Amino acid sequence: MSKQTKFPMGIDSKKISGELFTLTYGALVAELLRDLESPQAVNQQLDKMGYNIGLRLADDLLAKNSQIQRCTDMHQVADVLAKVALRGYLGVTAQVSNWSARNDEFSLVLESNPLAEFVEVPSELAQDLRYSQIICGAIRGALEMMHMEVQTFIVQEQSQSVEIRVKFIRILQESVPPGDD
Amino acid sequence: MQRAGSGKQSSILDKSLSRGKTEVNFSSFALLFAEMIRYANNRSNTVSDLQDKLSGYGKFVGSRLLDVIVLREKGYRRETKLLNMLMFVKGTIWKNLFNKEADKLERSNDDPCQYLLIEKEPVVNTYISVPKDKGNLNCASFIAGIIEAVLEASNFPCKVSAHWHDGTTYIIQFDRLVIARENALLELAR
């Protein structure tokens, strides 16, 4: 994934203006805030949309990055998320930190958040609205495609940095017999 | 509201404006846009409802982009002449958004208030398959909204709509006032 080449024609490295992306996302959040009653409902909707995106992004990621091997533990998963997925799709590298003792839970810290450029969340919403919740949904959706059930949530969100917590729940079996589980 | 100088978190207005050279993977945008269309579609009954919603999103983007682009590219000098303004949209705005110029700009032969901006393959239509029952749906309405907001905010009141013709054609229908003003300016210059 070469960042130097500007707008090459190859489909896999096609780029679009970051500001168009940011503002388009802003238009979405603003619309949701108008449509839905509470900031919590907005978070939920953003999470759902992110989930749908994640389901599709997972294929895209694996198809275009053949160097990614099968991950055998959460450390590898965290690495791929931070160094390949977030860099490829949002253009930022996340720091992985705060591992739990059982190695099933970690934080992704984004130093700069491309979704939140130009954005100032009004103080009456700052408590409840999770502006970048869509990233959580996308991570959850993408990992589900890899048969991993995870919980994701935003620990804290400031204007320019976000900390996302990812917790591994279980491996999803290829086919769960009906009535089982 | 955050007061200046109070608290640890500085206001967004204290930050310097980014140079705007960041780029994002096209897949991210395409999927986000697709989700937005899906959402808007679930909440609208007719095709024109949906197009209005998309155009509304576009206006949100356009009104914010205009200031940034004018500041960066033109040292905060706005265009006052109609043709220059249209060229600004076709060139500068398009380059900032899609890194290329729009394909063609034409003036309608029948209606002096009507201009056409033509784009063979708008990016927002790249991955959208239009269902049969919504034949004339054009997701470039989103871009039409951007154009409309940019022109309106520059004091060229107009309506912009997207149509399937020659790829996608944005029909810019200016307020009569705009053309009258333009003609008056031409008279003065003579």
Side-chain angles (χ1 to χ4, degrees):
Chain A
M1 212 168 288
S2 54
K3 288 199 83 182
Q4 291 84 346
T5 40
K6 282 200 85 189
F7 291 88
M9 286 323 284
I11 208 92
D12 59 336
S13 43
K14 225 173 142 187
K15 296 270 201 261
I16 193 151
S17 146
E19 289 179 343
L20 177 61
F21 181 69
T22 307
L23 287 169
T24 306
Y25 183 66
L28 171 67
V29 178
E31 171 89 349
L32 292 181
L33 282 166
R34 269 195 302 274
D35 283 358
L36 307 171
E37 313 80 52
S38 68
Q40 284 82 5
V42 173
N43 296 343
Q44 220 169 31
Q45 179 65 30
L46 286 175
D47 193 79
K48 202 172 110 195
M49 291 174 140
Y51 176 79
N52 292 337
I53 292 176
L55 292 180
R56 299 203 202 171
L57 269 191
D59 278 341
D60 192 76
L61 180 78
L62 290 189
K64 290 171 186 170
N65 295 278
S66 52
Q67 81 280 11
I68 297 176
Q69 300 294 313
R70 194 172 285 273
C71 295
T72 52
D73 65 15
M74 284 311 278
H75 281 272
Q76 291 175 6
V77 173
D79 256 14
V80 173
L81 279 177
K83 300 207 176 97
V84 188
L86 286 169
R87 209 186 92 185
Y89 292 111
L90 283 181
V92 285
T93 324
Q95 302 298 324
V96 182
S97 61
N98 293 337
W99 280 95
S100 66
R102 292 172 56 208
N103 278 329
D104 62 350
E105 211 179 324
F106 58 91
S107 290
L108 292 167
V109 182
L110 276 70
E111 294 298 341
S112 70
N113 179 4
L115 290 179
E117 183 165 0
F118 304 136
V119 175
E120 187 162 37
V121 179
S123 51
E124 66 267 25
L125 287 173
Q127 271 295 314
D128 301 319
L129 179 69
R130 299 276 169 266
Y131 190 84
S132 311
Q133 182 71 33
I134 202 161
I135 306 179
C136 287
I139 292 176
R140 192 162 52 84
L143 288 180
E144 189 173 310
M145 287 297 275
M146 316 292 171
H147 298 283
M148 278 174 276
E149 187 182 325
V150 292
Q151 270 176 2
T152 46
F153 58 94
I154 290 181
V155 182
Q156 56 165 339
E157 185 171 30
Q158 269 148 14
S159 61
Q160 276 309 293
S161 69
V162 201
E163 179 178 348
I164 298 170
R165 195 82 182 145
V166 181
K167 185 180 196 311
F168 175 77
I169 306 294
R170 64 190 178 115
I171 299 271
L172 297 165
Q173 294 306 321
E174 202 77 46
S175 57
V176 182
D180 208 342
D181 192 357
Chain B
M1 276 280 120
Q2 196 91 33
R3 258 160 290 130
S6 75
K8 44 215 174 309
Q9 214 183 324
S10 62
S11 143
I12 191 161
L13 297 176
D14 297 328
K15 280 197 334 180
S16 55
L17 188 63
S18 79
R19 301 232 307 288
K21 292 286 173 244
T22 51
E23 287 170 355
V24 171
N25 194 312
F26 185 70
S27 309
S28 314
F29 177 80
L31 286 169
L32 172 68
F33 191 63
E35 281 301 314
M36 289 171 72
I37 294 174
R38 191 207 305 239
Y39 174 81
N41 191 21
N42 286 341
R43 289 196 160 238
S44 46
N45 300 319
T46 62
V47 170
S48 75
D49 256 10
L50 173 56
Q51 298 204 123
D52 285 349
K53 273 187 188 295
L54 291 178
S55 145
Y57 299 150
K59 281 181 201 161
F60 178 100
V61 175
S63 59
R64 283 157 180 79
L65 262 178
L66 177 68
D67 277 345
V68 169
I69 294 177
V70 170
L71 177 63
R72 261 189 215 131
E73 308 264 342
K74 318 212 51 124
Y76 224 80
R77 286 169 67 94
R78 301 261 172 124
E79 299 292 352
T80 51
K81 297 230 170 58
L82 180 65
L83 193 60
N84 294 357
M85 186 64 209
L86 286 167
M87 292 307 286
F88 171 71
V89 170
K90 174 180 185 270
T92 317
I93 296 271
W94 235 257
K95 273 199 174 137
N96 271 277
L97 288 177
F98 312 114
N99 214 31
K100 63 173 171 71
E101 288 203 3
D103 295 321
K104 260 189 273 178
L105 177 67
E106 289 174 3
R107 188 165 72 182
S108 161
N109 286 329
D110 324 317
D111 184 351
C113 296
Q114 196 176 70
Y115 284 76
L116 311 166
L117 191 64
I118 299 167
E119 193 176 31
K120 290 257 174 297
E121 291 169 348
V123 281
V124 290
N125 279 347
T126 316
Y127 295 125
I128 309 290
S129 49
V130 179
K132 287 223 169 55
D133 59 319
K134 302 199 163 160
N136 50 357
L137 167 69
N138 196 327
C139 294
S141 295
F142 174 70
I143 298 180
I146 297 183
I147 304 174
E148 189 173 315
V150 165
L151 289 171
E152 290 254 333
S154 308
N155 200 14
F156 293 90
C158 62
K159 289 268 164 281
V160 184
S161 52
H163 301 266
W164 293 107
H165 174 73
D166 238 346
T168 288
T169 299
Y170 306 99
I171 297 186
I172 307 173
Q173 186 74 40
F174 283 106
D175 211 294
R176 226 172 275 269
L177 197 137
V178 175
I179 305 300
R181 185 181 64 197
E182 193 65 19
N183 289 338
L185 275 176
L186 281 179
E187 284 299 316
L188 272 180
R190 211 164 279 161

